[in-house]
Amino acid sequence: MTTPQNPQAQPSPEAFAATPFPYGEAIQEAAAAPKKSKRKKVLSLLGTLGLIIVLAIVKVAIGEAINGPVHAKVGDCVTVTGSADNPSVDTVGCGDGKATHTVSKVVDDTFDINVCGDGFDALAQQLDNEKFVLCLTPKK
């Protein structure tokens, strides 16, 4: 004969010991995980900063290549945009509606815009180590 079981009875302590407790295991695993050394953190930070600096230099170099001064030749047509303090010059075809000026004279090794004389718009430029003035005739 079997003894009736009491539904209100508490489980034995052995029943709890056999039940896995996943949260406790996760905490133990996290505590046991290796931590990054200070040296690795510093190297990681320096690598990130180096990458940012390289990207900034590339951005500036590309910007200068695209928007930098143009050493146009006599007879070239250009479009001049921007402010008087920061003009931008691009060579365009003379039939292009964007052409604002024709290069009438190029004076090398100077920034003196007075070398062009009256009747010209003068624009001093520097490209690498070259300095020059473009003497421009406005297109009509």
Side-chain angles (χ1 to χ4, degrees), residues 34-51:
K35 298 187 182 215
K36 274 190 172 179
S37 70
K38 284 187 179 184
R39 179 182 169 112
K40 286 185 179 180
K41 286 180 183 178
V42 169
L43 289 175
S44 176
L45 181 63
L46 288 176
T48 302
L49 287 174
L51 180 63

Side-chain angles (χ1 to χ4, degrees), residues 16 18-19 21-22 31 36-37 41 43 45 50 55 63 68 71 81 83 89 91 106-107 115 118 123 125 127 132 138:
F16 285 114
T19 305
F21 189 62
K36 274 190 172 179
S37 70
K41 286 180 183 178
L43 289 175
L45 181 63
L55 290 174
H71 199 310
T81 57
S83 66
V89 180
T91 304
V106 178
V107 182
V115 297
D118 293 335
L123 192 59
Q125 297 278 287
L127 183 63
F132 54 94

Side-chain angles (χ1 to χ4, degrees), residues 16-79:
F16 285 114
T19 305
F21 189 62
Y23 301 111
E25 291 173 10
I27 291 171
Q28 289 174 350
E29 288 175 10
K35 298 187 182 215
K36 274 190 172 179
S37 70
K38 284 187 179 184
R39 179 182 169 112
K40 286 185 179 180
K41 286 180 183 178
V42 169
L43 289 175
S44 176
L45 181 63
L46 288 176
T48 302
L49 287 174
L51 180 63
I52 290 170
I53 290 170
V54 167
L55 290 174
I57 290 170
V58 167
K59 183 179 187 274
V60 168
I62 289 173
E64 280 296 316
I66 293 171
N67 298 324
V70 173
H71 199 310
K73 296 178 267 193
V74 173
D76 285 349
C77 291
V78 296
T79 181

Side-chain angles (χ1 to χ4, degrees), residues 2 8 11 41 74 86 94 129:
T2 59
Q8 300 284 337
K41 286 180 183 178
V74 173
N86 189 18
C94 290
N129 292 330

